[in-house]
Amino acid sequence: MFCVAPSELGTIMNVPKGGLVLFSANSNSSCMELSKKIAERLGVEMGKVQVYQEPNRETRVQIQESVRGKDVFIIQTVSKDVNTTVMELLIMVYACKTSCAKSIIGVLPYFPYSKQCKMRKRGSIVSKLLASMMCKAGLTHLITMDLHQKEIQGFFNIPVDNLRASPFLLQYIQEEIPDYRNAVIVAKSPASAKRAQSFAERLRLGIAVIHGEAQDAESDLVDGRHSPPTVKNIAAIHPSLEIPMLIPKEKPPITVVGDVGGRIAIIVDDIIDDVDSFLAAAETLKERGAYKIFVMATHGLLSSDAPRLIEESAIDEVVVTNTIPHEIQKLQCPKIKTVDISMILSEAIRRIHNGESMSYLFRNIGLDD
C-alpha cells in the first residue's frame, strides 16, 4: 500500500501552462478547497466554469473558456448530496467532450457508490453502472484513491490510476504519535486484516485482529449466493436431485487475536462513515488493556451523528485525509484530524499531462496491497 514518500514530491511542480485546464465540478464552495490546493501546487489557475442548480434542482454547467485540443482535468470531491455530485461530474465531462477537448481526466479522490460493488440479493452493482456512465459521458482516464475494492478498476474500459494514501498516514503515525513504537496495528474485522498487515510490516509493529463482531452489510449472508431463497421447494426440484445446503454461520464471541494490553491501538481502514463498528472495536480494545486508541482511514465520510459519537467514545483521535471535505465535522469534534493528500494528486496530474510514467507513484506496492 506504500507509494512514494510525501517528502520526495516537490511543493510546486513545473507544468507547461499551454495545454492543461483544471476544473472543479463542485457547485458547493466547501468542496473546492482540495481543487485550490492542487492548482496552487501545480502553479496554474483554476479553469473558468459555472456549476449551479436550477430552481427545479436540475444541474447546469457553463464552461467559460476554450478547451479545444487541451488536457482537461476535472476534480470532483463528494459532498453530502452524492447524486448531485455525480451529475455535476457527468455533465461537465460531456460538456468538455462536445467542446473538443483532447483528453478528459477525472480526479475523484473518493469514488462514490464504491461500497455497492457486489451483488446484493436482487439489487445491482451500482459502481459498475457509474463506471459505464462516466465512460459513456466521455471520460478518458480516471485518477482515484484507495478504492473500496481494487477490482472496481475492472468496471472501466479506460485507464484507472488507484493511488494510495498510506504513505501520508504512515508519516502521520511516525511524526505525530510520539510513542508509536509501543503501538499495535488493529483490524476491526478479519476483512481489514490485509490493510492492517501492510501498515504493521512497514512500521515494524505487531498486529491484532478483532473477530466475532456482528456481521456487516458486506458479509456473504446478503450476497447473491442466498438467492433464490434457501427454503426447499419440493415441487420446484426434481425428486432425484438432492442439493446440499450450506451450514449457516454462527458468530463466535468477540475475541482479540493479538496482545493489546498496555499498548497504543491504531485501527486502520479505508472508509469511516457509520462509526458504530469503530466504537465497538474501541470499547473492546479498552477492555483488553489498550491505553490509547487511534483510528486511521483514507476517506472520512463521517455521516449523521458520527462526530458526536466519536467525541463521546473511547477513541482518542480519528485521522482521515481530505479526499472528502469534513470541516463542519471537525468543528463538532476536535478529535478529528486531517492529512493533506493534494501533493500526490498534483504529481499524478503533472505526470499524465507531460506523458511521464506513473510507476514512480506506485513503488513498493505488492499484489496484496
PDB file of all heavy atoms in Angstrom, residues 294-332:
ATOM      1  N   PHE A 294      -6.309   5.095  18.361  1.00  0.00           N
ATOM      2  CA  PHE A 294      -6.374   5.939  17.175  1.00  0.00           C
ATOM      3  C   PHE A 294      -7.141   5.195  16.084  1.00  0.00           C
ATOM      4  O   PHE A 294      -7.089   3.970  16.002  1.00  0.00           O
ATOM      5  CB  PHE A 294      -4.965   6.258  16.653  1.00  0.00           C
ATOM      6  CG  PHE A 294      -4.169   7.183  17.527  1.00  0.00           C
ATOM      7  CD1 PHE A 294      -3.517   6.707  18.661  1.00  0.00           C
ATOM      8  CD2 PHE A 294      -4.052   8.531  17.218  1.00  0.00           C
ATOM      9  CE1 PHE A 294      -2.778   7.544  19.466  1.00  0.00           C
ATOM     10  CE2 PHE A 294      -3.321   9.383  18.018  1.00  0.00           C
ATOM     11  CZ  PHE A 294      -2.677   8.900  19.149  1.00  0.00           C
ATOM     12  N   VAL A 295      -7.829   5.949  15.243  1.00  0.00           N
ATOM     13  CA  VAL A 295      -8.468   5.389  14.051  1.00  0.00           C
ATOM     14  C   VAL A 295      -7.890   6.110  12.844  1.00  0.00           C
ATOM     15  O   VAL A 295      -7.907   7.350  12.788  1.00  0.00           O
ATOM     16  CB  VAL A 295     -10.005   5.553  14.089  1.00  0.00           C
ATOM     17  CG1 VAL A 295     -10.620   5.088  12.771  1.00  0.00           C
ATOM     18  CG2 VAL A 295     -10.597   4.766  15.250  1.00  0.00           C
ATOM     19  N   MET A 296      -7.388   5.349  11.869  1.00  0.00           N
ATOM     20  CA  MET A 296      -6.805   5.918  10.660  1.00  0.00           C
ATOM     21  C   MET A 296      -7.596   5.414   9.457  1.00  0.00           C
ATOM     22  O   MET A 296      -7.781   4.202   9.297  1.00  0.00           O
ATOM     23  CB  MET A 296      -5.335   5.496  10.500  1.00  0.00           C
ATOM     24  CG  MET A 296      -4.499   5.572  11.762  1.00  0.00           C
ATOM     25  SD  MET A 296      -3.977   7.222  12.188  1.00  0.00           S
ATOM     26  CE  MET A 296      -2.826   7.592  10.890  1.00  0.00           C
ATOM     27  N   ALA A 297      -8.065   6.332   8.611  1.00  0.00           N
ATOM     28  CA  ALA A 297      -8.807   5.944   7.409  1.00  0.00           C
ATOM     29  C   ALA A 297      -8.530   6.951   6.300  1.00  0.00           C
ATOM     30  O   ALA A 297      -8.250   8.129   6.567  1.00  0.00           O
ATOM     31  CB  ALA A 297     -10.307   5.871   7.695  1.00  0.00           C
ATOM     32  N   THR A 298      -8.638   6.485   5.060  1.00  0.00           N
ATOM     33  CA  THR A 298      -8.414   7.375   3.919  1.00  0.00           C
ATOM     34  C   THR A 298      -9.587   8.332   3.735  1.00  0.00           C
ATOM     35  O   THR A 298      -9.403   9.541   3.616  1.00  0.00           O
ATOM     36  CB  THR A 298      -8.202   6.552   2.634  1.00  0.00           C
ATOM     37  OG1 THR A 298      -7.097   5.667   2.814  1.00  0.00           O
ATOM     38  CG2 THR A 298      -7.930   7.472   1.456  1.00  0.00           C
ATOM     39  N   HIS A 299     -10.801   7.776   3.702  1.00  0.00           N
ATOM     40  CA  HIS A 299     -11.985   8.566   3.373  1.00  0.00           C
ATOM     41  C   HIS A 299     -12.847   8.775   4.622  1.00  0.00           C
ATOM     42  O   HIS A 299     -13.373   7.809   5.178  1.00  0.00           O
ATOM     43  CB  HIS A 299     -12.808   7.867   2.295  1.00  0.00           C
ATOM     44  CG  HIS A 299     -12.004   7.456   1.097  1.00  0.00           C
ATOM     45  ND1 HIS A 299     -11.384   8.368   0.271  1.00  0.00           N
ATOM     46  CD2 HIS A 299     -11.704   6.227   0.593  1.00  0.00           C
ATOM     47  CE1 HIS A 299     -10.746   7.723  -0.695  1.00  0.00           C
ATOM     48  NE2 HIS A 299     -10.920   6.429  -0.518  1.00  0.00           N
ATOM     49  N   GLY A 300     -12.990  10.017   5.046  1.00  0.00           N
ATOM     50  CA  GLY A 300     -13.793  10.323   6.228  1.00  0.00           C
ATOM     51  C   GLY A 300     -15.158  10.863   5.843  1.00  0.00           C
ATOM     52  O   GLY A 300     -15.358  12.081   5.805  1.00  0.00           O
ATOM     53  N   LEU A 301     -16.110   9.965   5.568  1.00  0.00           N
ATOM     54  CA  LEU A 301     -17.462  10.411   5.243  1.00  0.00           C
ATOM     55  C   LEU A 301     -18.151  10.990   6.476  1.00  0.00           C
ATOM     56  O   LEU A 301     -18.826  12.001   6.398  1.00  0.00           O
ATOM     57  CB  LEU A 301     -18.287   9.256   4.675  1.00  0.00           C
ATOM     58  CG  LEU A 301     -18.148   8.997   3.171  1.00  0.00           C
ATOM     59  CD1 LEU A 301     -16.771   8.427   2.832  1.00  0.00           C
ATOM     60  CD2 LEU A 301     -19.224   8.051   2.688  1.00  0.00           C
ATOM     61  N   LEU A 302     -18.004  10.303   7.615  1.00  0.00           N
ATOM     62  CA  LEU A 302     -18.464  10.811   8.909  1.00  0.00           C
ATOM     63  C   LEU A 302     -19.898  11.335   8.848  1.00  0.00           C
ATOM     64  O   LEU A 302     -20.186  12.486   9.176  1.00  0.00           O
ATOM     65  CB  LEU A 302     -17.513  11.906   9.409  1.00  0.00           C
ATOM     66  CG  LEU A 302     -16.053  11.472   9.577  1.00  0.00           C
ATOM     67  CD1 LEU A 302     -15.154  12.670   9.794  1.00  0.00           C
ATOM     68  CD2 LEU A 302     -15.907  10.481  10.724  1.00  0.00           C
ATOM     69  N   SER A 303     -20.791  10.477   8.397  1.00  0.00           N
ATOM     70  CA  SER A 303     -22.183  10.869   8.196  1.00  0.00           C
ATOM     71  C   SER A 303     -22.955  10.955   9.505  1.00  0.00           C
ATOM     72  O   SER A 303     -22.533  10.425  10.537  1.00  0.00           O
ATOM     73  CB  SER A 303     -22.876   9.871   7.263  1.00  0.00           C
ATOM     74  OG  SER A 303     -22.209   9.794   6.029  1.00  0.00           O
ATOM     75  N   SER A 304     -24.084  11.612   9.442  1.00  0.00           N
ATOM     76  CA  SER A 304     -25.065  11.655  10.520  1.00  0.00           C
ATOM     77  C   SER A 304     -24.439  12.145  11.821  1.00  0.00           C
ATOM     78  O   SER A 304     -23.811  13.193  11.869  1.00  0.00           O
ATOM     79  CB  SER A 304     -25.705  10.273  10.692  1.00  0.00           C
ATOM     80  OG  SER A 304     -26.810  10.321  11.552  1.00  0.00           O
ATOM     81  N   ASP A 305     -24.601  11.363  12.907  1.00  0.00           N
ATOM     82  CA  ASP A 305     -24.108  11.765  14.227  1.00  0.00           C
ATOM     83  C   ASP A 305     -22.692  11.295  14.502  1.00  0.00           C
ATOM     84  O   ASP A 305     -22.261  11.257  15.668  1.00  0.00           O
ATOM     85  CB  ASP A 305     -25.037  11.203  15.317  1.00  0.00           C
ATOM     86  CG  ASP A 305     -26.390  11.887  15.323  1.00  0.00           C
ATOM     87  OD1 ASP A 305     -26.454  13.047  14.879  1.00  0.00           O
ATOM     88  OD2 ASP A 305     -27.370  11.266  15.769  1.00  0.00           O
ATOM     89  N   ALA A 306     -21.937  10.946  13.482  1.00  0.00           N
ATOM     90  CA  ALA A 306     -20.595  10.401  13.683  1.00  0.00           C
ATOM     91  C   ALA A 306     -19.697  11.304  14.534  1.00  0.00           C
ATOM     92  O   ALA A 306     -19.045  10.817  15.471  1.00  0.00           O
ATOM     93  CB  ALA A 306     -19.943  10.106  12.332  1.00  0.00           C
ATOM     94  N   PRO A 307     -19.632  12.629  14.283  1.00  0.00           N
ATOM     95  CA  PRO A 307     -18.756  13.473  15.121  1.00  0.00           C
ATOM     96  C   PRO A 307     -19.117  13.417  16.610  1.00  0.00           C
ATOM     97  O   PRO A 307     -18.236  13.312  17.473  1.00  0.00           O
ATOM     98  CB  PRO A 307     -18.966  14.874  14.543  1.00  0.00           C
ATOM     99  CG  PRO A 307     -19.405  14.653  13.142  1.00  0.00           C
ATOM    100  CD  PRO A 307     -20.234  13.412  13.180  1.00  0.00           C
ATOM    101  N   ARG A 308     -20.413  13.499  16.916  1.00  0.00           N
ATOM    102  CA  ARG A 308     -20.834  13.463  18.323  1.00  0.00           C
ATOM    103  C   ARG A 308     -20.500  12.112  18.963  1.00  0.00           C
ATOM    104  O   ARG A 308     -20.003  12.051  20.104  1.00  0.00           O
ATOM    105  CB  ARG A 308     -22.338  13.716  18.425  1.00  0.00           C
ATOM    106  CG  ARG A 308     -22.878  13.661  19.859  1.00  0.00           C
ATOM    107  CD  ARG A 308     -24.374  13.878  19.890  1.00  0.00           C
ATOM    108  NE  ARG A 308     -25.108  12.863  19.144  1.00  0.00           N
ATOM    109  CZ  ARG A 308     -25.382  11.639  19.626  1.00  0.00           C
ATOM    110  NH1 ARG A 308     -24.978  11.294  20.844  1.00  0.00           N
ATOM    111  NH2 ARG A 308     -26.057  10.788  18.894  1.00  0.00           N
ATOM    112  N   LEU A 309     -20.732  11.027  18.249  1.00  0.00           N
ATOM    113  CA  LEU A 309     -20.450   9.688  18.781  1.00  0.00           C
ATOM    114  C   LEU A 309     -18.958   9.494  19.011  1.00  0.00           C
ATOM    115  O   LEU A 309     -18.558   8.884  20.015  1.00  0.00           O
ATOM    116  CB  LEU A 309     -20.991   8.625  17.820  1.00  0.00           C
ATOM    117  CG  LEU A 309     -22.519   8.575  17.665  1.00  0.00           C
ATOM    118  CD1 LEU A 309     -22.912   7.616  16.553  1.00  0.00           C
ATOM    119  CD2 LEU A 309     -23.178   8.167  18.984  1.00  0.00           C
ATOM    120  N   ILE A 310     -18.145  10.019  18.106  1.00  0.00           N
ATOM    121  CA  ILE A 310     -16.692   9.904  18.282  1.00  0.00           C
ATOM    122  C   ILE A 310     -16.244  10.700  19.501  1.00  0.00           C
ATOM    123  O   ILE A 310     -15.420  10.241  20.304  1.00  0.00           O
ATOM    124  CB  ILE A 310     -15.965  10.393  17.014  1.00  0.00           C
ATOM    125  CG1 ILE A 310     -16.206   9.425  15.855  1.00  0.00           C
ATOM    126  CG2 ILE A 310     -14.463  10.541  17.268  1.00  0.00           C
ATOM    127  CD1 ILE A 310     -15.731   9.947  14.514  1.00  0.00           C
ATOM    128  N   GLU A 311     -16.791  11.911  19.653  1.00  0.00           N
ATOM    129  CA  GLU A 311     -16.417  12.773  20.777  1.00  0.00           C
ATOM    130  C   GLU A 311     -16.746  12.113  22.115  1.00  0.00           C
ATOM    131  O   GLU A 311     -16.003  12.278  23.097  1.00  0.00           O
ATOM    132  CB  GLU A 311     -17.140  14.119  20.649  1.00  0.00           C
ATOM    133  CG  GLU A 311     -16.748  15.147  21.684  1.00  0.00           C
ATOM    134  CD  GLU A 311     -15.303  15.591  21.557  1.00  0.00           C
ATOM    135  OE1 GLU A 311     -14.722  15.478  20.454  1.00  0.00           O
ATOM    136  OE2 GLU A 311     -14.746  16.047  22.579  1.00  0.00           O
ATOM    137  N   GLU A 312     -17.829  11.354  22.175  1.00  0.00           N
ATOM    138  CA  GLU A 312     -18.266  10.717  23.423  1.00  0.00           C
ATOM    139  C   GLU A 312     -17.676   9.325  23.614  1.00  0.00           C
ATOM    140  O   GLU A 312     -17.965   8.675  24.622  1.00  0.00           O
ATOM    141  CB  GLU A 312     -19.799  10.623  23.440  1.00  0.00           C
ATOM    142  CG  GLU A 312     -20.502  11.977  23.408  1.00  0.00           C
ATOM    143  CD  GLU A 312     -21.997  11.856  23.213  1.00  0.00           C
ATOM    144  OE1 GLU A 312     -22.467  10.696  23.013  1.00  0.00           O
ATOM    145  OE2 GLU A 312     -22.702  12.888  23.235  1.00  0.00           O
ATOM    146  N   SER A 313     -16.851   8.863  22.689  1.00  0.00           N
ATOM    147  CA  SER A 313     -16.375   7.481  22.712  1.00  0.00           C
ATOM    148  C   SER A 313     -15.010   7.350  23.367  1.00  0.00           C
ATOM    149  O   SER A 313     -14.397   8.333  23.792  1.00  0.00           O
ATOM    150  CB  SER A 313     -16.305   6.942  21.282  1.00  0.00           C
ATOM    151  OG  SER A 313     -15.205   7.530  20.596  1.00  0.00           O
ATOM    152  N   ALA A 314     -14.519   6.114  23.387  1.00  0.00           N
ATOM    153  CA  ALA A 314     -13.191   5.823  23.940  1.00  0.00           C
ATOM    154  C   ALA A 314     -12.082   6.117  22.945  1.00  0.00           C
ATOM    155  O   ALA A 314     -10.900   5.996  23.284  1.00  0.00           O
ATOM    156  CB  ALA A 314     -13.130   4.349  24.357  1.00  0.00           C
ATOM    157  N   ILE A 315     -12.426   6.504  21.729  1.00  0.00           N
ATOM    158  CA  ILE A 315     -11.421   6.817  20.708  1.00  0.00           C
ATOM    159  C   ILE A 315     -10.745   8.150  21.050  1.00  0.00           C
ATOM    160  O   ILE A 315     -11.417   9.134  21.370  1.00  0.00           O
ATOM    161  CB  ILE A 315     -12.078   6.900  19.312  1.00  0.00           C
ATOM    162  CG1 ILE A 315     -12.656   5.544  18.913  1.00  0.00           C
ATOM    163  CG2 ILE A 315     -11.074   7.379  18.268  1.00  0.00           C
ATOM    164  CD1 ILE A 315     -13.489   5.576  17.645  1.00  0.00           C
ATOM    165  N   ASP A 316      -9.418   8.167  20.999  1.00  0.00           N
ATOM    166  CA  ASP A 316      -8.662   9.372  21.325  1.00  0.00           C
ATOM    167  C   ASP A 316      -8.486  10.298  20.126  1.00  0.00           C
ATOM    168  O   ASP A 316      -8.444  11.527  20.289  1.00  0.00           O
ATOM    169  CB  ASP A 316      -7.287   8.997  21.877  1.00  0.00           C
ATOM    170  CG  ASP A 316      -7.389   8.314  23.226  1.00  0.00           C
ATOM    171  OD1 ASP A 316      -7.591   9.008  24.224  1.00  0.00           O
ATOM    172  OD2 ASP A 316      -7.295   7.063  23.266  1.00  0.00           O
ATOM    173  N   GLU A 317      -8.372   9.715  18.921  1.00  0.00           N
ATOM    174  CA  GLU A 317      -8.142  10.549  17.743  1.00  0.00           C
ATOM    175  C   GLU A 317      -8.558   9.789  16.489  1.00  0.00           C
ATOM    176  O   GLU A 317      -8.316   8.589  16.362  1.00  0.00           O
ATOM    177  CB  GLU A 317      -6.663  10.941  17.661  1.00  0.00           C
ATOM    178  CG  GLU A 317      -6.372  12.087  16.709  1.00  0.00           C
ATOM    179  CD  GLU A 317      -4.965  12.626  16.893  1.00  0.00           C
ATOM    180  OE1 GLU A 317      -4.733  13.335  17.909  1.00  0.00           O
ATOM    181  OE2 GLU A 317      -4.096  12.317  16.064  1.00  0.00           O
ATOM    182  N   VAL A 318      -9.191  10.506  15.565  1.00  0.00           N
ATOM    183  CA  VAL A 318      -9.561   9.961  14.261  1.00  0.00           C
ATOM    184  C   VAL A 318      -8.800  10.746  13.202  1.00  0.00           C
ATOM    185  O   VAL A 318      -8.925  11.970  13.127  1.00  0.00           O
ATOM    186  CB  VAL A 318     -11.080  10.050  14.010  1.00  0.00           C
ATOM    187  CG1 VAL A 318     -11.415   9.631  12.579  1.00  0.00           C
ATOM    188  CG2 VAL A 318     -11.839   9.181  14.994  1.00  0.00           C
ATOM    189  N   VAL A 319      -7.999  10.054  12.401  1.00  0.00           N
ATOM    190  CA  VAL A 319      -7.167  10.699  11.384  1.00  0.00           C
ATOM    191  C   VAL A 319      -7.664  10.265  10.014  1.00  0.00           C
ATOM    192  O   VAL A 319      -7.680   9.071   9.703  1.00  0.00           O
ATOM    193  CB  VAL A 319      -5.683  10.324  11.556  1.00  0.00           C
ATOM    194  CG1 VAL A 319      -4.829  11.057  10.518  1.00  0.00           C
ATOM    195  CG2 VAL A 319      -5.212  10.642  12.970  1.00  0.00           C
ATOM    196  N   VAL A 320      -8.077  11.246   9.199  1.00  0.00           N
ATOM    197  CA  VAL A 320      -8.550  10.969   7.842  1.00  0.00           C
ATOM    198  C   VAL A 320      -7.877  11.949   6.880  1.00  0.00           C
ATOM    199  O   VAL A 320      -7.338  12.972   7.303  1.00  0.00           O
ATOM    200  CB  VAL A 320     -10.089  11.099   7.737  1.00  0.00           C
ATOM    201  CG1 VAL A 320     -10.777   9.999   8.513  1.00  0.00           C
ATOM    202  CG2 VAL A 320     -10.570  12.464   8.227  1.00  0.00           C
ATOM    203  N   THR A 321      -7.926  11.637   5.595  1.00  0.00           N
ATOM    204  CA  THR A 321      -7.364  12.543   4.597  1.00  0.00           C
ATOM    205  C   THR A 321      -8.451  13.488   4.093  1.00  0.00           C
ATOM    206  O   THR A 321      -9.631  13.326   4.410  1.00  0.00           O
ATOM    207  CB  THR A 321      -6.767  11.764   3.410  1.00  0.00           C
ATOM    208  OG1 THR A 321      -7.837  11.202   2.639  1.00  0.00           O
ATOM    209  CG2 THR A 321      -5.851  10.650   3.903  1.00  0.00           C
ATOM    210  N   ASN A 322      -8.056  14.447   3.269  1.00  0.00           N
ATOM    211  CA  ASN A 322      -9.018  15.424   2.751  1.00  0.00           C
ATOM    212  C   ASN A 322      -9.558  15.026   1.380  1.00  0.00           C
ATOM    213  O   ASN A 322      -9.838  15.885   0.539  1.00  0.00           O
ATOM    214  CB  ASN A 322      -8.413  16.822   2.716  1.00  0.00           C
ATOM    215  CG  ASN A 322      -7.142  16.894   1.878  1.00  0.00           C
ATOM    216  OD1 ASN A 322      -6.527  15.878   1.567  1.00  0.00           O
ATOM    217  ND2 ASN A 322      -6.730  18.099   1.524  1.00  0.00           N
ATOM    218  N   THR A 323      -9.705  13.716   1.133  1.00  0.00           N
ATOM    219  CA  THR A 323     -10.375  13.276  -0.092  1.00  0.00           C
ATOM    220  C   THR A 323     -11.837  13.716  -0.089  1.00  0.00           C
ATOM    221  O   THR A 323     -12.446  13.874  -1.142  1.00  0.00           O
ATOM    222  CB  THR A 323     -10.323  11.740  -0.230  1.00  0.00           C
ATOM    223  OG1 THR A 323     -10.889  11.141   0.949  1.00  0.00           O
ATOM    224  CG2 THR A 323      -8.899  11.252  -0.407  1.00  0.00           C
ATOM    225  N   ILE A 324     -12.404  13.890   1.103  1.00  0.00           N
ATOM    226  CA  ILE A 324     -13.776  14.357   1.278  1.00  0.00           C
ATOM    227  C   ILE A 324     -13.741  15.529   2.253  1.00  0.00           C
ATOM    228  O   ILE A 324     -13.101  15.434   3.307  1.00  0.00           O
ATOM    229  CB  ILE A 324     -14.683  13.236   1.823  1.00  0.00           C
ATOM    230  CG1 ILE A 324     -14.756  12.077   0.833  1.00  0.00           C
ATOM    231  CG2 ILE A 324     -16.084  13.755   2.142  1.00  0.00           C
ATOM    232  CD1 ILE A 324     -15.443  10.855   1.367  1.00  0.00           C
ATOM    233  N   PRO A 325     -14.407  16.645   1.952  1.00  0.00           N
ATOM    234  CA  PRO A 325     -14.391  17.781   2.888  1.00  0.00           C
ATOM    235  C   PRO A 325     -15.150  17.441   4.168  1.00  0.00           C
ATOM    236  O   PRO A 325     -16.233  16.867   4.128  1.00  0.00           O
ATOM    237  CB  PRO A 325     -15.101  18.896   2.099  1.00  0.00           C
ATOM    238  CG  PRO A 325     -15.920  18.187   1.076  1.00  0.00           C
ATOM    239  CD  PRO A 325     -15.182  16.937   0.728  1.00  0.00           C
ATOM    240  N   HIS A 326     -14.551  17.767   5.307  1.00  0.00           N
ATOM    241  CA  HIS A 326     -15.212  17.475   6.588  1.00  0.00           C
ATOM    242  C   HIS A 326     -14.904  18.568   7.617  1.00  0.00           C
ATOM    243  O   HIS A 326     -14.727  18.282   8.803  1.00  0.00           O
ATOM    244  CB  HIS A 326     -14.766  16.100   7.124  1.00  0.00           C
ATOM    245  CG  HIS A 326     -13.283  15.886   7.082  1.00  0.00           C
ATOM    246  ND1 HIS A 326     -12.655  15.214   6.065  1.00  0.00           N
ATOM    247  CD2 HIS A 326     -12.307  16.287   7.923  1.00  0.00           C
ATOM    248  CE1 HIS A 326     -11.363  15.189   6.284  1.00  0.00           C
ATOM    249  NE2 HIS A 326     -11.126  15.840   7.413  1.00  0.00           N
ATOM    250  N   GLU A 327     -14.850  19.801   7.163  1.00  0.00           N
ATOM    251  CA  GLU A 327     -14.556  20.904   8.078  1.00  0.00           C
ATOM    252  C   GLU A 327     -15.650  21.084   9.122  1.00  0.00           C
ATOM    253  O   GLU A 327     -15.370  21.405  10.285  1.00  0.00           O
ATOM    254  CB  GLU A 327     -14.364  22.202   7.278  1.00  0.00           C
ATOM    255  CG  GLU A 327     -13.137  22.202   6.382  1.00  0.00           C
ATOM    256  CD  GLU A 327     -11.861  21.904   7.161  1.00  0.00           C
ATOM    257  OE1 GLU A 327     -11.673  22.486   8.244  1.00  0.00           O
ATOM    258  OE2 GLU A 327     -11.065  21.079   6.687  1.00  0.00           O
ATOM    259  N   ILE A 328     -16.895  20.884   8.732  1.00  0.00           N
ATOM    260  CA  ILE A 328     -18.001  21.018   9.694  1.00  0.00           C
ATOM    261  C   ILE A 328     -17.882  19.952  10.781  1.00  0.00           C
ATOM    262  O   ILE A 328     -18.065  20.233  11.973  1.00  0.00           O
ATOM    263  CB  ILE A 328     -19.356  20.909   8.963  1.00  0.00           C
ATOM    264  CG1 ILE A 328     -19.539  22.082   8.001  1.00  0.00           C
ATOM    265  CG2 ILE A 328     -20.506  20.868   9.972  1.00  0.00           C
ATOM    266  CD1 ILE A 328     -20.786  21.997   7.147  1.00  0.00           C
ATOM    267  N   GLN A 329     -17.559  18.730  10.383  1.00  0.00           N
ATOM    268  CA  GLN A 329     -17.406  17.647  11.369  1.00  0.00           C
ATOM    269  C   GLN A 329     -16.253  17.942  12.329  1.00  0.00           C
ATOM    270  O   GLN A 329     -16.334  17.613  13.513  1.00  0.00           O
ATOM    271  CB  GLN A 329     -17.163  16.306  10.650  1.00  0.00           C
ATOM    272  CG  GLN A 329     -18.379  15.766   9.905  1.00  0.00           C
ATOM    273  CD  GLN A 329     -18.460  16.235   8.473  1.00  0.00           C
ATOM    274  OE1 GLN A 329     -18.001  17.330   8.141  1.00  0.00           O
ATOM    275  NE2 GLN A 329     -19.044  15.415   7.610  1.00  0.00           N
ATOM    276  N   LYS A 330     -15.190  18.573  11.840  1.00  0.00           N
ATOM    277  CA  LYS A 330     -14.060  18.900  12.713  1.00  0.00           C
ATOM    278  C   LYS A 330     -14.449  19.941  13.755  1.00  0.00           C
ATOM    279  O   LYS A 330     -13.939  19.919  14.892  1.00  0.00           O
ATOM    280  CB  LYS A 330     -12.888  19.410  11.878  1.00  0.00           C
ATOM    281  CG  LYS A 330     -12.183  18.316  11.090  1.00  0.00           C
ATOM    282  CD  LYS A 330     -11.082  18.874  10.217  1.00  0.00           C
ATOM    283  CE  LYS A 330      -9.919  19.378  11.019  1.00  0.00           C
ATOM    284  NZ  LYS A 330      -8.792  19.815  10.162  1.00  0.00           N
ATOM    285  N   LEU A 331     -15.326  20.859  13.393  1.00  0.00           N
ATOM    286  CA  LEU A 331     -15.802  21.844  14.367  1.00  0.00           C
ATOM    287  C   LEU A 331     -16.643  21.176  15.449  1.00  0.00           C
ATOM    288  O   LEU A 331     -16.638  21.615  16.608  1.00  0.00           O
ATOM    289  CB  LEU A 331     -16.628  22.921  13.648  1.00  0.00           C
ATOM    290  CG  LEU A 331     -15.869  23.836  12.683  1.00  0.00           C
ATOM    291  CD1 LEU A 331     -16.836  24.754  11.948  1.00  0.00           C
ATOM    292  CD2 LEU A 331     -14.820  24.651  13.427  1.00  0.00           C
ATOM    293  N   GLN A 332     -17.347  20.109  15.086  1.00  0.00           N
ATOM    294  CA  GLN A 332     -18.190  19.398  16.043  1.00  0.00           C
ATOM    295  C   GLN A 332     -17.387  18.447  16.916  1.00  0.00           C
ATOM    296  O   GLN A 332     -17.817  18.101  18.019  1.00  0.00           O
ATOM    297  CB  GLN A 332     -19.278  18.605  15.295  1.00  0.00           C
ATOM    298  CG  GLN A 332     -20.238  19.491  14.513  1.00  0.00           C
ATOM    299  CD  GLN A 332     -21.160  18.688  13.614  1.00  0.00           C
ATOM    300  OE1 GLN A 332     -20.888  17.522  13.306  1.00  0.00           O
ATOM    301  NE2 GLN A 332     -22.251  19.299  13.184  1.00  0.00           N
TER     302      GLN A 332
END
